[in-house]
Amino acid sequence: MKAGETVCVGNGVEETPELRTTSIATIKQWLLDERPDLEIPEESKLILYFLRTTKYNMDKTKRKLMTFIKNREKLTEWFTNRDPRRPEIQELLDIGVFLPLHQKDALNRQVVIIRTSAHDPAKHKQDNVFKVDKMILDLLLYLDETVSIDGVVAIFDMQGVTLGHALQLTPSMIKKSVESWENYPCKPKLLEFVNVPVHVNLVLNVFRSFMSAKMRERVTISRKGSKLQQSITLPLELGGNGESYSELAEYWKQTVQANAPFYAKMEENMFHL
């Protein structure tokens, strides 16, 4: 984004250069008053991204940003030891548990495929799966500022889900996952669960029970494929003629590894985003 550019962030709210500058300064001062231990580099875009997700609602920005900070500090199982060369991360990158598509949808939203049952629950911890998810989501925000404006569409492919996968998703695990999604510096615009077997309805009901009313409205469930097939080129495994899951996994593995310094800096200070 160019410094003098005006951006529409939704519901008719326009982000002008003046609004952007004064709002960032206001939130930054409030945050440093609340948490004088924080270091916020001048180039950090984290505050800006939260302002955009709330359409410049200052109270919501403060609440979501503070929840985000507390989660980053509390959930060490997700937000520490994020060196892409770690064996447990390498395995999940090879599998491709979180796969952003290269093509945006008609509304310029980032589409991501979350393969909920691609990993082996006997070998892979659910916390490590969520860690890799967040690593790639952080990288998307770092590489593409428009994700903070237009938001994310998530397709949860549940093909092949087993009881073992369901048992990993305890209510406490689901709660922290939903809270993280709702307090991240990008807007989840649609959560589409596809290839859903009947026996996982209970797990999905638990997910919805922790969601805000607005997020629940954005959830769709399909026993078969994605309804987005008409508007975007989906991977082969979802009935499209785009890249396969394995091709996408290889691309994102290489991209994550190439950005290892970014993850090291983020572990030092979350405001490097």
Side-chain angles (χ1 to χ4, degrees):
M1 301 269 140
K2 296 176 182 176
E5 192 174 347
T6 296
V7 178
C8 180
V9 295
N11 289 0
V13 177
E14 291 201 335
E15 177 193 292
T16 63
E18 181 183 3
L19 177 64
R20 185 163 52 234
T21 301
T22 57
S23 298
I24 289 172
T26 299
I27 295 294
K28 184 174 182 179
Q29 187 56 58
W30 165 81
L31 194 53
L32 291 175
D33 288 343
E34 294 287 319
R35 290 285 306 269
D37 58 305
L38 294 175
E39 293 183 21
I40 307 176
E42 281 299 317
E43 66 274 14
S44 174
K45 292 184 177 178
L46 188 60
I47 291 173
L48 173 62
Y49 289 174
F50 272 104
L51 286 163
R52 287 171 170 169
T53 65
T54 65
K55 304 178 183 66
Y56 279 78
N57 181 310
M58 301 299 273
D59 288 338
K60 281 187 179 179
T61 297
K62 291 176 181 179
R63 185 171 66 251
K64 286 179 176 285
L65 180 55
M66 190 59 81
T67 302
F68 175 84
I69 292 168
K70 289 177 180 177
N71 280 341
R72 297 293 283 215
E73 294 171 338
K74 178 177 66 175
L75 301 177
T76 54
E77 63 271 29
W78 292 0
F79 298 114
T80 61
N81 298 318
R82 302 209 302 172
D83 184 337
R85 294 165 296 187
R86 293 179 68 90
E88 68 273 19
I89 293 176
Q90 286 277 302
E91 282 189 33
L92 293 168
L93 289 172
D94 283 332
I95 292 168
V97 293
F98 189 97
L99 301 174
L101 302 187
H102 298 305
Q103 179 192 0
K104 304 285 186 72
D105 74 358
L107 299 174
N108 201 44
R109 301 178 298 188
Q110 175 66 58
V111 180
V112 300
I113 312 294
I114 300 175
R115 301 175 63 211
T116 60
S117 52
H119 67 284
D120 181 351
K123 287 176 56 181
H124 305 117
K125 294 180 180 179
Q126 187 65 48
D127 278 324
N128 285 336
V129 174
F130 284 146
K131 177 190 287 192
V132 170
D133 291 355
K134 299 303 182 190
M135 286 176 67
I136 298 177
L137 187 56
D138 285 352
L139 188 58
L140 280 175
L141 285 160
Y142 176 67
L143 297 176
D144 183 358
E145 187 174 335
T146 66
V147 176
S148 73
I149 299 168
D150 301 307
V152 173
V153 169
I155 302 174
F156 295 81
D157 184 2
M158 306 194 77
Q159 185 71 49
V161 70
T162 67
L163 179 61
H165 293 105
L167 290 174
Q168 283 189 308
L169 293 168
T170 61
S172 61
M173 182 75 74
I174 292 171
K175 182 180 180 181
K176 69 181 183 181
S177 174
V178 171
E179 183 180 65
S180 178
W181 263 105
E182 293 198 338
N183 295 282
Y184 227 74
C186 59
K187 293 172 276 193
K189 294 291 194 177
L190 174 65
L191 305 175
E192 186 187 41
F193 294 82
V194 303
N195 298 319
V196 179
V198 175
H199 64 269
V200 299
N201 277 345
L202 180 61
V203 175
L204 294 183
N205 287 339
V206 177
F207 264 99
R208 284 185 288 202
S209 73
F210 289 117
M211 292 178 179
S212 64
K214 181 180 283 189
M215 184 173 274
R216 280 197 298 272
E217 290 172 1
R218 295 174 177 176
V219 172
T220 67
I221 297 173
S222 169
R223 304 280 175 233
K224 296 183 180 178
S226 171
K227 294 176 183 175
L228 295 174
Q229 192 168 359
Q230 308 303 320
S231 59
I232 192 168
T233 304
L234 293 173
L236 297 170
E237 291 84 351
L238 288 178
N241 56 6
E243 293 175 279
S244 67
Y245 283 166
S246 61
E247 289 172 318
L248 288 167
E250 178 60 27
Y251 172 84
W252 282 105
K253 180 183 180 181
Q254 296 300 325
T255 304
V256 166
Q257 290 180 154
N259 284 278
F262 162 71
Y263 294 111
K265 289 181 75 174
M266 278 287 285
E267 273 200 56
E268 291 173 6
N269 185 348
M270 70 189 82
F271 282 90
H272 278 301
L273 188 62

